[in-house]
Structure formats: C-alpha cells, structure tokens
Amino acid sequence: MRVPAIAANWKMFKTTHEALAYVRELGSLVKDVSGVEIIIAPPFTALATAAEAARNTAVGIAGQNMSAEKEGAFTGEISAAMLKDAGATYVILGHSERRKLYGETDASINRKVHAALAAELIPIVCVGETLEEREGGQMATVLDRQIKDGLDGLTGDQVGGLIIAYEPVWAIGTGRNATPEQADEAHRHIRTRLRQWFGAAAADACRIQYGGSVKPDNITGLIALPDVDGALVGGAGLQVTSFFEIIRGAASAAR
Ligand code: PGA
C-alpha cells in the first residue's frame, strides 16, 4: 500500500560531470525495476544537470536543504521555487548534519516544511536521536519533540504526503546500522504518534524511511519490517552499483 522510497543523499560530493554519468547509468539500470520510488539528492550545483538526465526515467530528484524564505536578500540560500525550477520534486529537511553543524532547530525545520509544501515539493523530514540520548533512555522523547515541533501546523493530508526519515545519529556514516529490532521499535513509535496527532489516514499513508549505514547487505532485513517504507542512503548511495543493489533489495521485498 505504501510504495517504499529509496533515496541517495550525495551530501557534498560529485561535480556536474560525475552526476551526469551516475544518473545516466542509474536511469538505465532501473528501467525494469518496479514497486519502489527512486530518489537522488545531488548538491545544488548538480541539481539541474541530474534532473535533466533523469527526465523520462524512474529517478526523482531531491534538494538536500532549502531556505524557508520565498526570496530576498539571503546570500547563499536557495528557495523552494528555485529547487522546483531546477527539477527537484523532493527536498531533504532537518538532516542531522544540518541540525548539528548549522544550528537548525525543530522550529526552523518546521518553517521549511511549510515552505516546501507551499511550493509543492515533497519534504523528507529527518528525525533521530544521538547516542547519548539513546543511552539516556531519551529516544522516544526526542522523536516526539522532533515530530511534534517539526510537523506543527500541518494537516493530516499534508503529513500523509510527506516522507519521514528516521536516522539515528549514531548510525550515520559510522558503519553501525540500527538492528532490525531497533529500527522496528522506532518506526512503530513514530507511526503511533502520527496516528495520535494527525489521524489514521495520515499515519497509514506517510512513508517512514530508515537511514544510517544502509548497505546492500542490510537493506532486505530493514525493508521487511512493516513500518519501514524505504531508506535514506548516504555513503552507499555514492556508487551507482551499490545504490542499485539497495534498490534491487528493496524492490524484491516490496510489499
Ligand atoms: P550513511 O548516511 O548511509 O552514510 O550512514 C545516511 C545519511 O546521512 O542520510
């Protein structure tokens, strides 16, 4: 019922030239894949090139971040309309690197989520606890705050249409992915809260990706979980072959 979404977050990697080669290859590799939504998030400079190469393929394009402002004197910022104009249909918001390194808060992320939806971009809203928070028994409290404040003011329909990425911070780029049991617990918790706060239809429709050291050899165990609706992939999404293996693993297990 929920189509799994597999996204590669390239972070600050790849020139336009590299992006073009990757997307061309991926586009032809995924020609016969069905049952999964495929997304790549290039850096801003490669967005239009990647989108152009992805045209008429099953590959969708995401921004990695954006401004909450429409336009104006905001040096270095990119608006939702600019992302759309460059060919994006999704935007990653509140990635833990943005929270940690650039001071993004649930309130600032919430403004971006509203701005993205107003521009008809699909937000991929990242949530997740740090190791200290997990070890301190704070996982549920942190997720609750990030969801409540990050999605504040949205309608059930809007929540049903977006993607949440559960990315435990201790699993990102560490090679230490959450076990299926840990992912299952967090994803079920998130879905329960969505049901309480935004209604059953929103909770049933909203896709919850897992992110954090997803690799070709752990995707099948994760995607088999009833509340895991895809993956947000960092390191293993940089090589087209390993990203394709992850897509294939998810497609073969697609419900
Ligand atoms: P990783 O990154 O797959 O390299 O752990 C995930 C992410 O940051 O979204």
Side-chain angles (χ1 to χ4, degrees), residues 9 11 95-97 167 171-175 211-215 232-236:
N9 172 15
K11 308 191 181 186
H95 189 278
S96 66
E97 287 150 18
E167 299 205 300
I172 296 177
T174 58
S213 298
V214 173
K215 302 273 182 307
L232 182 54
V233 186

Side-chain angles (χ1 to χ4, degrees), residues 126-139:
C126 303
V127 299
E129 80 287 356
T130 63
L131 187 60
E132 297 70 48
E133 288 163 343
R134 169 169 282 264
E135 288 177 344
Q138 295 295 299
M139 181 191 80

Side-chain angles (χ1 to χ4, degrees), residues 100-230:
K100 177 160 178 259
L101 304 172
Y102 301 100
E104 296 208 10
T105 63
D106 293 315
S108 67
I109 293 159
N110 180 249
R111 290 188 62 226
K112 295 183 180 195
V113 173
H114 281 276
L117 289 169
E120 297 184 332
L121 284 170
I122 299 171
I124 301 174
V125 183
C126 303
V127 299
E129 80 287 356
T130 63
L131 187 60
E132 297 70 48
E133 288 163 343
R134 169 169 282 264
E135 288 177 344
Q138 295 295 299
M139 181 191 80
T141 312
V142 169
L143 292 179
D144 287 356
R145 190 200 66 230
Q146 291 174 335
I147 295 164
K148 205 174 201 14
D149 295 352
L151 305 186
D152 189 38
L154 299 189
T155 65
D157 273 0
Q158 288 175 319
V159 171
L162 56 74
I163 297 173
I164 293 177
Y166 169 63
E167 299 205 300
V169 179
W170 46 271
I172 296 177
T174 58
R176 179 182 164 192
N177 66 296
T179 62
E181 292 71 29
Q182 289 170 325
D184 189 47
E185 183 193 5
H187 282 239
R188 272 192 293 116
H189 178 81
I190 293 168
R191 188 134 6 240
T192 300
R193 289 299 191 232
L194 294 178
R195 187 163 286 116
Q196 285 175 338
W197 294 334
F198 299 98
D204 288 342
C206 179
R207 284 164 308 163
I208 307 175
Q209 293 176 319
Y210 169 79
S213 298
V214 173
K215 302 273 182 307
D217 62 5
N218 61 27
I219 183 65
T220 41
L222 291 161
I223 202 80
L225 302 167
D227 286 307
V228 173
D229 311 309

